[in-house]
Amino acid sequence: HYEDLWRATKEQIHTQSMEKSCIVKVADGLWRLYISFVDTDGRWRIDLLEAACPEEFDCGRRVKILTADDCGIEGIKDPAVYNVGGLWHMIVSYAPRPAQLSGDAERTMHVTGDIYNVGVTKSHTGLATSSDGVNWLWEGDILSPPNEGWDSYCTRIGAVLWSAPVFVGFYDGSRSVEENYEEKAGLALSHDLRHWRRLTIDGPY
C-alpha cells in the first residue's frame, strides 16, 4: 500500500512532458529532487527542488541545474545522482548536436518535444559533477552507442551499483529509433564513473 506524499503536474512546471527524476537526501537533512522535463524551446532540461521534507517541494521555487544550451547539446534528462568520495556525480541521458542537419531537420527536430524519438541524433550517457549538488560542471560523454549492434542507437545508463572493485552500470539499449520506448537492458563496468566498458556486446542482458 502506498500513500502519496507529494505530487506535481506538467501545468505546475509549464511543460509538455516530464520523465525520470532522482530524489536525494543530503547531509544537512535537506531533500533534493532533480527533475527532467521539456523546456519551452522543446528541449529536455534538468531542474532542482529542495525542501526540508518531500511534502514541501515547491515547483514554483525550482532552480535550474542543466539545460541543453549549457552543455552545447540538444537535450539532457533522466538524472541519476550519487555522492562518491564527497563529489556529486550526475549521470544523464543526453542527445548530442548532430554534425550535419538538413534545413527541414533543423526546423523539426524539437517539434515533438522529444528529440530522442525523431532519429536525427542518438541517445548517449553523459556526466556532470558538483561539489555542492547545486552548481554543476558538464564533463561530457561517458558512454556512446557503438557503430553497430543491438545497442547502436541508445546506451543510456539509468542506475549504478558499487560492487568492489568496480561500478556496475545498468543501461537501456536499442538498435534504432523504432525501438525507442522499447529498450532492452545492458551492463557496463567502470573504475571511475567516467570510462565504461560494455559487457553485453553480443546482446542484451
Side-chain angles (χ1 to χ4, degrees), residues 43-90:
R43 296 188 291 179
W44 287 93
R45 67 179 281 168
I46 297 171
D47 278 11
L48 169 66
L49 305 178
E50 188 175 75
C53 58
E55 297 93 323
E56 296 179 3
F57 286 140
D58 182 354
C59 292
R61 300 176 62 186
R62 68 182 187 274
V63 176
K64 184 193 82 166
I65 294 297
L66 290 170
T67 68
D69 277 340
D70 292 336
C71 306
I73 56 179
E74 293 300 332
I76 183 167
K77 68 184 185 81
D78 300 342
V81 180
Y82 304 93
N83 190 302
V84 180
L87 183 66
W88 291 99
H89 295 68
M90 181 186 291

Side-chain angles (χ1 to χ4, degrees), residues 16-198:
Q16 57 184 296
S17 183
M18 294 183 287
E19 286 193 5
K20 177 183 171 183
S21 300
C22 182
I23 191 168
V24 177
K25 187 176 183 181
V26 296
D28 56 8
L30 290 176
W31 290 82
R32 288 174 176 162
L33 181 67
Y34 298 88
I35 60 173
S36 59
F37 61 95
V38 177
D39 207 346
T40 54
D41 63 359
R43 296 188 291 179
W44 287 93
R45 67 179 281 168
I46 297 171
D47 278 11
L48 169 66
L49 305 178
E50 188 175 75
C53 58
E55 297 93 323
E56 296 179 3
F57 286 140
D58 182 354
C59 292
R61 300 176 62 186
R62 68 182 187 274
V63 176
K64 184 193 82 166
I65 294 297
L66 290 170
T67 68
D69 277 340
D70 292 336
C71 306
I73 56 179
E74 293 300 332
I76 183 167
K77 68 184 185 81
D78 300 342
V81 180
Y82 304 93
N83 190 302
V84 180
L87 183 66
W88 291 99
H89 295 68
M90 181 186 291
I91 295 175
V92 300
S93 167
Y94 83 95
R97 186 163 292 163
Q100 294 182 336
L101 275 176
S102 67
D104 288 342
E106 180 76 40
R107 288 189 295 272
T108 62
M109 65 178 173
H110 295 296
V111 169
T112 66
D114 190 2
I115 191 171
Y116 299 90
N117 200 35
V118 297
V120 299
T121 186
K122 294 184 178 183
S123 179
H124 295 232
T125 300
L127 174 69
T129 55
S130 171
S131 60
D132 60 7
V134 178
N135 301 287
W136 292 83
L137 173 66
W138 175 243
E139 295 204 12
D141 192 277
I142 58 173
L143 185 65
S144 297
N147 292 329
E148 57 184 26
W150 73 273
D151 52 359
S152 56
Y153 180 75
C154 172
T155 52
R156 177 180 60 212
I157 295 177
V160 173
L161 174 68
W162 169 247
S163 181
V166 296
F167 294 98
V168 180
F170 301 86
Y171 73 89
D172 302 328
S174 63
R175 184 182 300 271
S176 67
V177 66
E178 285 74 25
E179 295 179 3
N180 195 41
Y181 307 128
E182 300 294 337
E183 293 87 359
K184 300 176 177 65
L187 291 176
L189 297 181
S190 174
H191 290 281
D192 61 2
L193 293 175
R194 289 166 175 78
H195 304 88
W196 291 86
R197 179 170 64 87
R198 293 158 46 247

